Amino acid sequence: MVTGGLILNRRSFVLGAAASAVMVGARWDAAASAEHAYALEIRPGTARLLEDDSLQTGIWGFDGQVPGPVLRARQGQPLTVAVTNALEQPSSVHWHGLRIENSMDGVPGLTQDPIAPGETFTYRFTPPDAGTFWYHPHIRSWEQVARGLYGALVVEEDSAPDIDRDFVLVADDWRLGEDGAFDAESLGNLHDWAHAGRLGNILTVNAKAYERFEVTPGERVRLRLINTANARVMQFAVPGLRPWVVSHDGQPVAPYLVGSSGVELSPGQRTDLLVDVAGTSGDEIPIVELSTGDRLVAGYLVLSRKTPRPPRAFATPAALPASTVELPVAGNTQDVNLTMTGGAMRFLQSAVYKGETLDGRTLALEHSQAWAFNGIAGMSAKPLFTAARGTTVRLKLRNDTGWRHNIHLHGHHFVELSRRASADAGARPVTTDRADALQDTILLQADELSEVAFVADNPGKWMIHCHMLEHQASGMATWFEVA
Ligand code: C2O
Ligand code: CU
């Protein structure tokens, strides 16, 4: 076992060359250097995830914690994260939603070699966008993320918005036994893989049964919600207050009020809420999760006894500073179809797997493959498409399965152009709250079609996959190249 002291030594050694900027552990000292530098170790640990906190769960975490430390960076300023893998299996880190250089994207087999046990890989990049992002391994993520390997990455705006407090809410569902033990036995079971994915039985925010956030009446509070679950779609609301949505997937949107069904977050998605705190000292205002039809309490805003702050004159918050993402334009457009097939009820007849055409039974029983994109299960040697840099790609997503899927694009953000059920005659404009949002992850219902578009402006090899991690592992993964 590695002891704390040894870890410290190893960290300073790894970062020795950049010693002036080195922080030991995951703390950020803005004064120390313009460059934000962290060292993280991927290793087993324990957490108290249940209300009964005498029960412990064995987890895997960044620095042995779940969630991993909140990493803070500043828009347009370099960030360095040295990641050491102390697991017995290879790992890597993907910076979900960040439009960074391809070699730092953290996808073993596509952009880097896996970080072998005992090795360190140093990620260096400059986040171009301010917002809420997250990090997680991109190898066996169906296991590594399920066990707790994830954390928030907050990129601060260049000029701070008018907000009094800023909280990160990392939401996850866990499959635990009565004794609090992590259910490892059911990891990788084909039933989950061919159905809705691994759904947990315990909801946590910041790995706590009931996380508490201390606030003062009159304050404007930013809640950065991140869904890190393998497969569960969540819906959050703060019924006692009037929260505004100000961003999706790390990109600002024109503020709108959260409706009665809450704000939906599919796995991998983020949303930032701004909420003006009203109430009396001592109040506990629940944050709830609604996707099951029940109101599950996910945490509380706890109103402190400090002197209330006078409320702001304008109830509607100002939009966050505009995004720098280049918006897709008509002309210079490349159309790409991505059709999803397979899964329980409509099993694959056959698909190409690693270059070979196999029947559905062989795919499932010998290779744990249950889904396909355009008739191909899993990563192929050749990209799905190649786009010349600067082209607008119009991606026609077609879900021909009986299940929801949650398509995530690496290195780029897209806008949704249209959506329809496959039974409908014509496409209709997007009428959801996210109509104008730039997103990196999008949820499609069974038998739905959606057209999304993005400017392929980031050179390299980028994945497209379902962020229901069991679906990703059992076929729903491909890639494209920006040349
Ligand atoms: Cu959040 Cu390809 O990953
Ligand atoms: Cu899926």
Side-chain angles (χ1 to χ4, degrees):
M1 232 12 251
V2 187
T3 68
L6 275 175
I7 293 165
L8 292 182
N9 290 339
R10 174 133 48 130
R11 278 182 184 143
S12 357
F13 173 68
V14 168
L15 291 173
S20 65
V22 166
M23 298 303 305
V24 174
R27 277 179 306 266
W28 168 46
D29 180 355
S33 164
E35 182 181 16
H36 304 148
Y38 293 95
L40 294 175
E41 188 170 69
I42 298 177
R43 62 168 190 262
T46 54
R48 295 174 198 276
L49 304 172
L50 295 163
E51 195 177 4
D52 175 353
D53 66 5
S54 68
L55 298 175
Q56 283 199 19
T57 305
I59 55 102
W60 293 354
F62 286 94
D63 285 355
Q65 310 164 25
V66 67
V70 176
L71 306 184
R72 287 184 188 271
R74 193 165 287 265
Q75 183 172 19
Q77 290 189 17
L79 172 71
T80 300
V81 189
V83 179
T84 299
N85 178 11
L87 298 179
E88 280 160 15
Q89 58 173 256
S91 196
S92 79
V93 180
H94 168 58
W95 312 93
H96 182 123
L98 282 147
R99 303 181 301 126
I100 52 177
E101 48 270 57
N102 191 239
S103 59
M104 296 291 126
D105 197 43
V107 180
L110 201 62
T111 68
Q112 70 167 96
D113 289 332
I115 310 175
E119 285 188 353
T120 299
F121 184 96
T122 301
Y123 293 90
R124 290 176 215 280
F125 53 85
T126 300
D129 303 312
T132 305
F133 302 91
W134 66 298
Y135 60 96
H136 62 78
H138 218 288
I139 181 167
R140 283 178 76 87
S141 35
W142 51 274
E143 172 176 22
Q144 297 192 3
V145 174
R147 289 184 181 272
L149 281 167
Y150 50 75
L153 170 56
V154 171
V155 183
E156 318 265 7
E157 286 83 11
D158 220 11
S159 55
D162 173 28
I163 294 166
D164 301 312
R165 277 174 211 266
D166 191 316
F167 296 115
V168 173
L169 291 83
V170 181
D172 194 8
D173 67 338
W174 297 81
R175 200 181 280 182
L176 304 181
E178 293 282 289
D179 56 353
F182 180 83
D183 180 351
E185 212 138 288
S186 67
L187 274 173
N189 89 58
L190 200 56
H191 183 275
D192 284 345
W193 287 30
H195 290 75
R198 180 184 176 89
L199 299 173
N201 52 5
I202 297 290
L203 169 70
T204 58
V205 167
N206 299 341
K208 294 195 185 75
Y210 301 107
E211 174 67 310
R212 297 163 69 82
F213 302 96
E214 200 187 280
V215 296
T216 302
E219 282 178 339
R220 178 162 289 174
V221 175
R222 183 178 194 162
L223 303 175
R224 301 174 183 266
L225 289 159
I226 309 174
N227 181 352
T228 64
N230 278 37
R232 187 181 292 280
V233 178
M234 301 187 194
Q235 283 163 248
F236 289 95
V238 192
L241 297 172
R242 287 163 48 85
W244 295 84
V245 175
V246 293
S247 92
H248 282 299
D249 287 358
Q251 300 290 342
V253 294
Y256 65 87
L257 276 172
V258 175
S260 58
S261 57
V263 60
E264 183 184 77
L265 289 179
S266 64
Q269 287 187 329
R270 292 86 62 212
T271 273
D272 288 13
L273 304 180
L274 286 189
V275 61
D276 289 342
V277 177
T280 316
S281 295
D283 284 357
E284 301 195 343
I285 302 172
I287 300 164
V288 298
E289 200 287 314
L290 304 164
S291 64
T292 60
D294 288 330
R295 280 189 173 202
L296 301 179
V297 173
Y300 293 98
L301 296 175
V302 180
L303 275 56
S304 74
R305 304 200 180 274
K306 294 196 193 108
T307 321
R309 186 192 185 291
R312 284 168 172 73
F314 301 102
T316 309
L320 296 171
S323 170
T324 60
V325 174
E326 194 183 336
L327 292 172
V329 286
N332 192 19
T333 300
Q334 178 176 353
D335 283 328
V336 177
N337 293 314
L338 192 157
T339 300
M340 305 160 219
T341 53
M345 303 186 301
R346 298 184 201 168
F347 281 110
L348 294 171
Q349 295 294 311
S350 72
V352 175
Y353 178 67
K354 295 193 173 156
E356 232 189 310
T357 305
L358 300 174
D359 63 84
R361 203 185 143 74
T362 309
L363 284 166
L365 298 182
E366 287 175 24
H367 304 288
S368 299
Q369 298 296 294
W371 311 89
F373 284 162
N374 294 357
I376 302 170
M379 295 292 274
S380 50
K382 285 211 213 99
L384 179 74
F385 64 94
T386 301
R389 190 171 181 182
T391 310
T392 290
V393 176
R394 194 156 53 181
L395 195 55
K396 301 180 173 201
L397 304 170
R398 180 184 183 102
N399 181 1
D400 279 348
T401 80
W403 301 87
R404 301 199 278 192
H405 298 291
N406 186 37
I407 303 301
H408 171 49
L409 185 72
H410 282 216
H412 298 79
H413 275 72
F414 52 79
V415 287
E416 188 173 25
L417 304 177
S418 72
R419 185 180 285 242
R420 69 181 167 102
S422 53
D424 291 355
R428 45 190 157 74
V430 183
T431 52
T432 65
D433 290 329
R434 283 175 209 187
D436 301 317
L438 283 153
Q439 295 177 255
D440 57 54
T441 307
I442 187 169
L443 182 68
L444 270 81
Q445 306 297 323
D447 292 308
E448 238 184 3
L449 278 68
S450 162
E451 251 187 20
V452 302
F454 64 97
V455 179
D457 59 0
N458 199 353
K461 299 173 175 179
W462 305 104
M463 276 193 83
I464 304 176
H465 63 88
C466 181
H467 217 293
M468 288 158 169
L469 301 176
E470 290 68 30
H471 296 173
Q472 177 189 354
S474 57
M476 297 192 124
T478 187
W479 61 287
F480 68 103
E481 185 156 22
V482 181

